[in-house]
mmCIF file of all heavy atoms in Angstrom:
data_model
loop_
_atom_site.group_PDB
_atom_site.id
_atom_site.type_symbol
_atom_site.label_atom_id
_atom_site.label_comp_id
_atom_site.label_asym_id
_atom_site.label_seq_id
_atom_site.Cartn_x
_atom_site.Cartn_y
_atom_site.Cartn_z
ATOM 1 N N SER A 751 28.656 -16.829 13.211
ATOM 2 C CA SER A 751 27.915 -17.940 13.802
ATOM 3 C C SER A 751 26.503 -17.961 13.237
ATOM 4 O O SER A 751 26.111 -17.051 12.478
ATOM 5 C CB SER A 751 27.854 -17.801 15.332
ATOM 6 O OG SER A 751 27.070 -16.661 15.680
ATOM 7 N N LEU A 752 25.734 -18.950 13.622
ATOM 8 C CA LEU A 752 24.346 -19.051 13.186
ATOM 9 C C LEU A 752 23.555 -17.826 13.609
ATOM 10 O O LEU A 752 22.627 -17.394 12.912
ATOM 11 C CB LEU A 752 23.705 -20.316 13.761
ATOM 12 C CG LEU A 752 22.219 -20.541 13.448
ATOM 13 C CD1 LEU A 752 22.005 -20.711 11.945
ATOM 14 C CD2 LEU A 752 21.685 -21.744 14.218
ATOM 15 N N LEU A 753 23.914 -17.227 14.738
ATOM 16 C CA LEU A 753 23.218 -16.060 15.260
ATOM 17 C C LEU A 753 23.264 -14.883 14.289
ATOM 18 O O LEU A 753 22.350 -14.068 14.263
ATOM 19 C CB LEU A 753 23.835 -15.660 16.604
ATOM 20 C CG LEU A 753 23.158 -14.518 17.364
ATOM 21 C CD1 LEU A 753 21.724 -14.887 17.716
ATOM 22 C CD2 LEU A 753 23.947 -14.161 18.607
ATOM 23 N N GLU A 754 24.319 -14.793 13.485
ATOM 24 C CA GLU A 754 24.486 -13.681 12.551
ATOM 25 C C GLU A 754 24.160 -14.060 11.112
ATOM 26 O O GLU A 754 24.166 -13.204 10.225
ATOM 27 C CB GLU A 754 25.933 -13.163 12.615
ATOM 28 C CG GLU A 754 26.360 -12.704 14.000
ATOM 29 C CD GLU A 754 27.836 -12.356 14.051
ATOM 30 O OE1 GLU A 754 28.515 -12.497 13.009
ATOM 31 O OE2 GLU A 754 28.315 -11.949 15.120
ATOM 32 N N ASP A 755 23.883 -15.318 10.884
ATOM 33 C CA ASP A 755 23.698 -15.808 9.512
ATOM 34 C C ASP A 755 22.318 -15.442 8.974
ATOM 35 O O ASP A 755 21.344 -15.300 9.721
ATOM 36 C CB ASP A 755 23.871 -17.326 9.485
ATOM 37 C CG ASP A 755 24.070 -17.846 8.071
ATOM 38 O OD1 ASP A 755 24.437 -17.038 7.190
ATOM 39 O OD2 ASP A 755 23.857 -19.044 7.851
ATOM 40 N N THR A 756 22.244 -15.277 7.658
ATOM 41 C CA THR A 756 20.972 -15.016 6.973
ATOM 42 C C THR A 756 20.903 -15.935 5.763
ATOM 43 O O THR A 756 21.488 -15.648 4.722
ATOM 44 C CB THR A 756 20.872 -13.549 6.514
ATOM 45 O OG1 THR A 756 21.078 -12.688 7.642
ATOM 46 C CG2 THR A 756 19.499 -13.261 5.917
ATOM 47 N N SER A 757 20.212 -17.044 5.928
ATOM 48 C CA SER A 757 20.156 -18.051 4.870
ATOM 49 C C SER A 757 18.720 -18.214 4.385
ATOM 50 O O SER A 757 17.810 -18.465 5.183
ATOM 51 C CB SER A 757 20.689 -19.385 5.403
ATOM 52 O OG SER A 757 20.646 -20.364 4.394
ATOM 53 N N ILE A 758 18.541 -18.053 3.082
ATOM 54 C CA ILE A 758 17.188 -18.087 2.502
ATOM 55 C C ILE A 758 17.175 -18.964 1.256
ATOM 56 O O ILE A 758 18.004 -18.794 0.362
ATOM 57 C CB ILE A 758 16.709 -16.682 2.111
ATOM 58 C CG1 ILE A 758 16.929 -15.693 3.255
ATOM 59 C CG2 ILE A 758 15.245 -16.699 1.697
ATOM 60 C CD1 ILE A 758 16.718 -14.249 2.848
ATOM 61 N N ALA A 759 16.232 -19.884 1.218
ATOM 62 C CA ALA A 759 16.015 -20.679 0.006
ATOM 63 C C ALA A 759 15.006 -19.949 -0.873
ATOM 64 O O ALA A 759 14.097 -19.279 -0.377
ATOM 65 C CB ALA A 759 15.494 -22.056 0.367
ATOM 66 N N ILE A 760 15.174 -20.078 -2.196
ATOM 67 C CA ILE A 760 14.309 -19.350 -3.122
ATOM 68 C C ILE A 760 13.933 -20.237 -4.303
ATOM 69 O O ILE A 760 14.729 -21.059 -4.764
ATOM 70 C CB ILE A 760 15.014 -18.065 -3.627
ATOM 71 C CG1 ILE A 760 14.100 -17.269 -4.558
ATOM 72 C CG2 ILE A 760 16.337 -18.385 -4.300
ATOM 73 C CD1 ILE A 760 14.684 -15.921 -4.975
ATOM 74 N N GLY A 761 12.703 -20.077 -4.756
ATOM 75 C CA GLY A 761 12.245 -20.782 -5.954
ATOM 76 C C GLY A 761 11.363 -19.868 -6.782
ATOM 77 O O GLY A 761 10.582 -19.075 -6.238
ATOM 78 N N ILE A 762 11.489 -19.953 -8.089
ATOM 79 C CA ILE A 762 10.723 -19.077 -8.980
ATOM 80 C C ILE A 762 10.073 -19.894 -10.082
ATOM 81 O O ILE A 762 10.630 -20.884 -10.568
ATOM 82 C CB ILE A 762 11.625 -17.974 -9.595
ATOM 83 C CG1 ILE A 762 10.791 -17.046 -10.486
ATOM 84 C CG2 ILE A 762 12.798 -18.574 -10.350
ATOM 85 C CD1 ILE A 762 11.568 -15.818 -10.974
ATOM 86 N N ALA A 763 8.867 -19.495 -10.459
ATOM 87 C CA ALA A 763 8.166 -20.106 -11.592
ATOM 88 C C ALA A 763 7.519 -18.993 -12.405
ATOM 89 O O ALA A 763 6.886 -18.094 -11.841
ATOM 90 C CB ALA A 763 7.108 -21.091 -11.109
ATOM 91 N N ILE A 764 7.685 -19.058 -13.714
ATOM 92 C CA ILE A 764 7.131 -18.041 -14.617
ATOM 93 C C ILE A 764 5.817 -18.545 -15.191
ATOM 94 O O ILE A 764 5.717 -19.692 -15.647
ATOM 95 C CB ILE A 764 8.130 -17.731 -15.742
ATOM 96 C CG1 ILE A 764 9.448 -17.233 -15.144
ATOM 97 C CG2 ILE A 764 7.556 -16.705 -16.710
ATOM 98 C CD1 ILE A 764 10.576 -17.149 -16.151
ATOM 99 N N TYR A 765 4.821 -17.699 -15.152
ATOM 100 C CA TYR A 765 3.511 -18.066 -15.683
ATOM 101 C C TYR A 765 3.603 -18.418 -17.158
ATOM 102 O O TYR A 765 4.139 -17.662 -17.971
ATOM 103 C CB TYR A 765 2.534 -16.909 -15.484
ATOM 104 C CG TYR A 765 1.267 -17.024 -16.295
ATOM 105 C CD1 TYR A 765 0.385 -18.086 -16.104
ATOM 106 C CD2 TYR A 765 0.948 -16.052 -17.246
ATOM 107 C CE1 TYR A 765 -0.778 -18.176 -16.855
ATOM 108 C CE2 TYR A 765 -0.215 -16.134 -17.986
ATOM 109 C CZ TYR A 765 -1.073 -17.204 -17.797
ATOM 110 O OH TYR A 765 -2.219 -17.298 -18.536
ATOM 111 N N ASN A 766 3.067 -19.589 -17.488
ATOM 112 C CA ASN A 766 3.024 -20.069 -18.862
ATOM 113 C C ASN A 766 1.570 -20.341 -19.228
ATOM 114 O O ASN A 766 0.973 -21.291 -18.722
ATOM 115 C CB ASN A 766 3.850 -21.350 -19.000
ATOM 116 C CG ASN A 766 3.922 -21.850 -20.436
ATOM 117 O OD1 ASN A 766 3.113 -21.471 -21.275
ATOM 118 N ND2 ASN A 766 4.901 -22.701 -20.726
ATOM 119 N N PRO A 767 0.959 -19.517 -20.089
ATOM 120 C CA PRO A 767 -0.470 -19.676 -20.391
ATOM 121 C C PRO A 767 -0.817 -21.018 -21.022
ATOM 122 O O PRO A 767 -1.965 -21.472 -20.915
ATOM 123 C CB PRO A 767 -0.757 -18.510 -21.353
ATOM 124 C CG PRO A 767 0.573 -18.135 -21.919
ATOM 125 C CD PRO A 767 1.563 -18.396 -20.831
ATOM 126 N N GLU A 768 0.138 -21.660 -21.649
ATOM 127 C CA GLU A 768 -0.126 -22.957 -22.264
ATOM 128 C C GLU A 768 -0.028 -24.104 -21.259
ATOM 129 O O GLU A 768 -0.508 -25.203 -21.525
ATOM 130 C CB GLU A 768 0.860 -23.193 -23.410
ATOM 131 C CG GLU A 768 0.736 -22.175 -24.543
ATOM 132 C CD GLU A 768 1.740 -22.444 -25.646
ATOM 133 O OE1 GLU A 768 2.550 -23.393 -25.496
ATOM 134 O OE2 GLU A 768 1.722 -21.714 -26.662
ATOM 135 N N ARG A 769 0.576 -23.816 -20.127
ATOM 136 C CA ARG A 769 0.811 -24.863 -19.135
ATOM 137 C C ARG A 769 0.002 -24.668 -17.850
ATOM 138 O O ARG A 769 -0.470 -25.646 -17.258
ATOM 139 C CB ARG A 769 2.300 -24.900 -18.798
ATOM 140 C CG ARG A 769 2.692 -25.909 -17.746
ATOM 141 C CD ARG A 769 4.198 -25.871 -17.523
ATOM 142 N NE ARG A 769 4.640 -26.867 -16.562
ATOM 143 C CZ ARG A 769 5.909 -27.035 -16.194
ATOM 144 N NH1 ARG A 769 6.854 -26.271 -16.715
ATOM 145 N NH2 ARG A 769 6.223 -27.968 -15.312
ATOM 146 N N ASP A 770 -0.164 -23.441 -17.448
ATOM 147 C CA ASP A 770 -0.782 -23.150 -16.156
ATOM 148 C C ASP A 770 -2.257 -22.824 -16.307
ATOM 149 O O ASP A 770 -2.624 -21.819 -16.923
ATOM 150 C CB ASP A 770 -0.055 -21.970 -15.493
ATOM 151 C CG ASP A 770 1.411 -22.283 -15.227
ATOM 152 O OD1 ASP A 770 1.685 -23.340 -14.634
ATOM 153 O OD2 ASP A 770 2.274 -21.466 -15.614
ATOM 154 N N ARG A 771 -3.089 -23.683 -15.723
ATOM 155 C CA ARG A 771 -4.533 -23.498 -15.794
ATOM 156 C C ARG A 771 -5.062 -22.597 -14.678
ATOM 157 O O ARG A 771 -6.175 -22.073 -14.769
ATOM 158 C CB ARG A 771 -5.250 -24.863 -15.725
ATOM 159 C CG ARG A 771 -4.883 -25.792 -16.862
ATOM 160 C CD ARG A 771 -5.207 -25.167 -18.200
ATOM 161 N NE ARG A 771 -4.837 -26.026 -19.319
ATOM 162 C CZ ARG A 771 -4.916 -25.661 -20.582
ATOM 163 N NH1 ARG A 771 -5.348 -24.450 -20.892
ATOM 164 N NH2 ARG A 771 -4.549 -26.483 -21.544
ATOM 165 N N ASP A 772 -4.280 -22.442 -13.603
ATOM 166 C CA ASP A 772 -4.681 -21.568 -12.505
ATOM 167 C C ASP A 772 -3.438 -21.125 -11.742
ATOM 168 O O ASP A 772 -2.322 -21.563 -12.036
ATOM 169 C CB ASP A 772 -5.671 -22.274 -11.568
ATOM 170 C CG ASP A 772 -5.160 -23.633 -11.094
ATOM 171 O OD1 ASP A 772 -3.930 -23.820 -11.012
ATOM 172 O OD2 ASP A 772 -5.985 -24.511 -10.808
ATOM 173 N N TYR A 773 -3.644 -20.264 -10.757
ATOM 174 C CA TYR A 773 -2.519 -19.724 -9.998
ATOM 175 C C TYR A 773 -1.799 -20.816 -9.225
ATOM 176 O O TYR A 773 -0.561 -20.784 -9.102
ATOM 177 C CB TYR A 773 -3.019 -18.645 -9.032
ATOM 178 C CG TYR A 773 -1.930 -18.120 -8.138
ATOM 179 C CD1 TYR A 773 -1.034 -17.146 -8.581
ATOM 180 C CD2 TYR A 773 -1.766 -18.623 -6.845
ATOM 181 C CE1 TYR A 773 -0.016 -16.684 -7.765
ATOM 182 C CE2 TYR A 773 -0.752 -18.168 -6.026
ATOM 183 C CZ TYR A 773 0.119 -17.197 -6.490
ATOM 184 O OH TYR A 773 1.135 -16.751 -5.682
ATOM 185 N N LEU A 774 -2.547 -21.777 -8.702
ATOM 186 C CA LEU A 774 -1.944 -22.839 -7.902
ATOM 187 C C LEU A 774 -0.885 -23.598 -8.689
ATOM 188 O O LEU A 774 0.112 -24.049 -8.125
ATOM 189 C CB LEU A 774 -3.038 -23.805 -7.414
ATOM 190 C CG LEU A 774 -2.564 -24.948 -6.508
ATOM 191 C CD1 LEU A 774 -1.896 -24.395 -5.257
ATOM 192 C CD2 LEU A 774 -3.747 -25.850 -6.153
ATOM 193 N N SER A 775 -1.087 -23.714 -9.989
ATOM 194 C CA SER A 775 -0.122 -24.416 -10.834
ATOM 195 C C SER A 775 1.225 -23.699 -10.828
ATOM 196 O O SER A 775 2.280 -24.329 -10.708
ATOM 197 C CB SER A 775 -0.663 -24.526 -12.257
ATOM 198 O OG SER A 775 0.307 -25.077 -13.124
ATOM 199 N N VAL A 776 1.185 -22.372 -10.947
ATOM 200 C CA VAL A 776 2.426 -21.587 -10.934
ATOM 201 C C VAL A 776 3.062 -21.648 -9.544
ATOM 202 O O VAL A 776 4.269 -21.836 -9.402
ATOM 203 C CB VAL A 776 2.156 -20.122 -11.324
ATOM 204 C CG1 VAL A 776 3.467 -19.386 -11.554
ATOM 205 C CG2 VAL A 776 1.287 -20.043 -12.575
ATOM 206 N N PHE A 777 2.245 -21.485 -8.518
ATOM 207 C CA PHE A 777 2.736 -21.512 -7.142
ATOM 208 C C PHE A 777 3.416 -22.844 -6.825
ATOM 209 O O PHE A 777 4.484 -22.874 -6.198
ATOM 210 C CB PHE A 777 1.582 -21.268 -6.171
ATOM 211 C CG PHE A 777 1.982 -21.331 -4.723
ATOM 212 C CD1 PHE A 777 2.413 -20.202 -4.052
ATOM 213 C CD2 PHE A 777 1.933 -22.542 -4.030
ATOM 214 C CE1 PHE A 777 2.790 -20.270 -2.717
ATOM 215 C CE2 PHE A 777 2.312 -22.621 -2.699
ATOM 216 C CZ PHE A 777 2.743 -21.477 -2.035
ATOM 217 N N SER A 778 2.800 -23.935 -7.252
ATOM 218 C CA SER A 778 3.339 -25.267 -6.945
ATOM 219 C C SER A 778 4.715 -25.460 -7.573
ATOM 220 O O SER A 778 5.611 -26.046 -6.951
ATOM 221 C CB SER A 778 2.375 -26.349 -7.440
ATOM 222 O OG SER A 778 1.139 -26.261 -6.770
ATOM 223 N N ARG A 779 4.898 -24.975 -8.794
ATOM 224 C CA ARG A 779 6.205 -25.094 -9.435
ATOM 225 C C ARG A 779 7.258 -24.246 -8.721
ATOM 226 O O ARG A 779 8.406 -24.661 -8.549
ATOM 227 C CB ARG A 779 6.112 -24.690 -10.911
ATOM 228 C CG ARG A 779 5.329 -25.697 -11.755
ATOM 229 C CD ARG A 779 5.506 -25.479 -13.232
ATOM 230 N NE ARG A 779 4.810 -24.310 -13.728
ATOM 231 C CZ ARG A 779 5.379 -23.211 -14.176
ATOM 232 N NH1 ARG A 779 6.706 -23.116 -14.171
ATOM 233 N NH2 ARG A 779 4.667 -22.197 -14.611
ATOM 234 N N ALA A 780 6.858 -23.030 -8.288
ATOM 235 C CA ALA A 780 7.782 -22.181 -7.540
ATOM 236 C C ALA A 780 8.133 -22.800 -6.199
ATOM 237 O O ALA A 780 9.299 -22.765 -5.767
ATOM 238 C CB ALA A 780 7.167 -20.796 -7.338
ATOM 239 N N ASP A 781 7.152 -23.395 -5.555
ATOM 240 C CA ASP A 781 7.366 -24.021 -4.251
ATOM 241 C C ASP A 781 8.301 -25.223 -4.381
ATOM 242 O O ASP A 781 9.190 -25.433 -3.538
ATOM 243 C CB ASP A 781 6.019 -24.457 -3.672
ATOM 244 C CG ASP A 781 6.063 -24.690 -2.173
ATOM 245 O OD1 ASP A 781 6.650 -23.855 -1.456
ATOM 246 O OD2 ASP A 781 5.515 -25.706 -1.719
#
Side-chain angles (χ1 to χ4, degrees):
S751 67
L752 177 63
L753 185 61
E754 302 173 359
D755 196 19
T756 305
S757 180
I758 311 169
I760 182 174
I762 182 172
I764 301 169
Y765 165 62
N766 184 342
E768 298 180 358
R769 178 179 183 180
D770 299 309
R771 299 302 179 186
D772 52 28
Y773 175 81
L774 182 59
S775 174
V776 190
F777 178 90
S778 297
R779 290 193 287 112
D781 199 45

